[in-house]
């Protein structure tokens, strides 16, 4: 962990003390800040390390380890909007496609667990109580965070989804995959029918590129950047 301007490292944590299966390397994957002062980091053992980061000073400590996953963590996402204490504000995903939804407080509480799927959940986002999950088979699935109920399922890409991102002010969802396509979707909650809805808004093709990263550049979702395997560039798109 570094100072905000990157000028100095203030904390590091070694995974040496964790037990790995035979022939398996230890690594960390997935990181998100949640609650008032917690940073959560996923590991290859399925554990999620919770670090307590003070508002001032560098006295960062490992405060808790969340043990609900049996496979390596693939991604972690936190609710950007402030939530009541104990409400669903963190979701973790693993290689088997299982999702765990947590509420932060003085300690973390497991709210619900979505069972393992038929493929890896490679990327996950949490927004306004909605979980958007991207999978290795190209699907996007929407769940209710509070109960883990599946509310929508879309065959979004022809190949592995590597990245999702959400624009918090507009509810736009960005998906990027190995099939060279990056797509923008609109998420909404129909109050009359009590349904979560997903609508396709835009598609871009980065020719002959397996896209591995994509992010919105602003909270409105009017600009986004993508990159791909063996690509030395970041490509920026802007709505006109």
């Amino acid at each position: 962990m570094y100072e905000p301007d990157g000028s100095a490292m203030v904390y590091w944590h070694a995974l040496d003390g964790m037990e790995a299966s035979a022939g398996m390397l230890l690594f960390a994957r997935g990181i998100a800040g949640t609650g008032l002062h917690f940073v959560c980091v996923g590991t290859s053992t399925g554990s999620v390390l919770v670090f307590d980061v003070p508002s001032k000073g560098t006295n960062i400590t490992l405060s808790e380890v969340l043990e609900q996953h049996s496979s390596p963590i693939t991604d972690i996402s936190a609710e950007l909007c402030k939530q009541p204490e104990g409400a669903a504000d963190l979701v973790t995903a693993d290689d088997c496609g299982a999702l765990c939804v947590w509420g932060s407080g003085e300690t973390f509480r497991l709210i619900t667990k979505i069972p393992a799927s038929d493929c890896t959940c490679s990327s996950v986002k949490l927004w306004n109580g909605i979980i958007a999950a991207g999978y290795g088979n190209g699907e996007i699935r929407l769940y209710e965070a509070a109960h883990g109920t599946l509310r929508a399922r879309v065959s979004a890409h022809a190949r592995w989804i590597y990245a999702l991102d959400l624009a918090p002010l507009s509810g736009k969802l960005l998906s990027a995959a190995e099939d060279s396509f990056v797509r923008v979707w609109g998420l909404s909650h129909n109050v009359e029918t009590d349904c979560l809805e997903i609508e396709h808004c835009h598609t871009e093709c980065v020719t002959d590129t397996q896209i591995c990263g994509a992010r919105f550049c602003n909270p409105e979702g009017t600009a986004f950047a993508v990159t791909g395997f063996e690509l030395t560039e970041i490509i920026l798109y802007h709505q006109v």
Side-chain angles (χ1 to χ4, degrees):
M1 299 184 188
Y2 292 83
E3 292 285 2
D5 61 0
S7 60
M9 182 174 67
V10 296
Y11 181 79
W12 63 273
H13 180 84
L15 298 179
D16 295 345
M18 303 181 70
E19 294 184 6
S21 302
M24 176 179 163
L25 294 175
L26 286 170
F27 60 83
R29 185 168 59 193
I31 185 170
T34 188
L36 295 176
H37 49 82
F38 294 115
V39 172
C40 301
V41 179
T43 70
S44 54
T45 65
S47 300
V48 178
L49 310 180
V50 180
F51 296 95
D52 192 335
V53 182
S55 56
K56 293 183 180 180
T58 59
N59 188 28
I60 299 170
T61 58
L62 177 64
S63 65
E64 193 174 353
V65 179
L66 308 180
E67 303 276 10
Q68 283 290 331
H69 291 276
S70 56
S71 298
I73 302 297
T74 53
D75 198 16
I76 299 178
S77 181
E79 179 68 75
L80 297 177
C81 302
K82 187 176 181 180
Q83 299 292 307
E85 185 171 326
D89 59 1
L90 183 77
V91 58
T92 54
D94 69 26
D95 265 342
C96 288
L99 304 176
C100 289
V101 184
W102 309 85
S104 64
E106 290 300 321
T107 60
F108 281 72
R109 176 176 63 93
L110 180 67
I111 292 176
T112 188
K113 187 171 183 178
I114 299 168
S117 180
D118 52 354
C119 56
T120 296
C121 178
S122 50
S123 187
V124 68
K125 291 296 174 184
L126 182 59
W127 176 76
N128 283 358
I130 300 171
I131 297 171
Y135 290 83
N137 62 359
E139 281 190 351
I140 294 175
R141 301 175 192 173
L142 302 182
Y143 298 91
E144 287 184 355
H147 307 291
T149 307
L150 178 65
R151 301 298 296 270
R153 189 170 182 166
V154 179
S155 296
H157 291 272
R159 298 183 69 180
W160 191 290
I161 293 176
Y162 267 99
L164 293 180
D165 196 25
L166 264 163
L169 295 187
S170 63
K172 289 181 179 178
L173 176 68
L174 187 69
S175 63
E178 278 187 339
D179 60 4
S180 301
F181 287 96
V182 56
R183 293 191 164 99
V184 179
W185 312 81
L187 302 186
S188 61
H189 186 192
N190 190 320
V191 179
E192 293 182 0
T193 60
D194 191 31
C195 289
L196 297 179
E197 298 179 352
I198 180 169
E199 175 187 12
H200 176 251
C201 302
H202 185 73
T203 293
E204 290 287 345
C205 179
V206 186
T207 307
D208 299 327
T209 300
Q210 292 180 316
I211 302 174
C212 62
R215 289 294 300 269
F216 281 119
C217 300
N218 55 32
E220 296 81 15
T222 58
F224 61 87
V226 301
T227 191
F229 288 108
E230 299 182 352
L231 194 65
T232 59
E233 302 168 332
I234 295 174
I235 305 169
L236 179 65
Y237 296 88
H238 194 279
Q239 180 181 333
V240 296

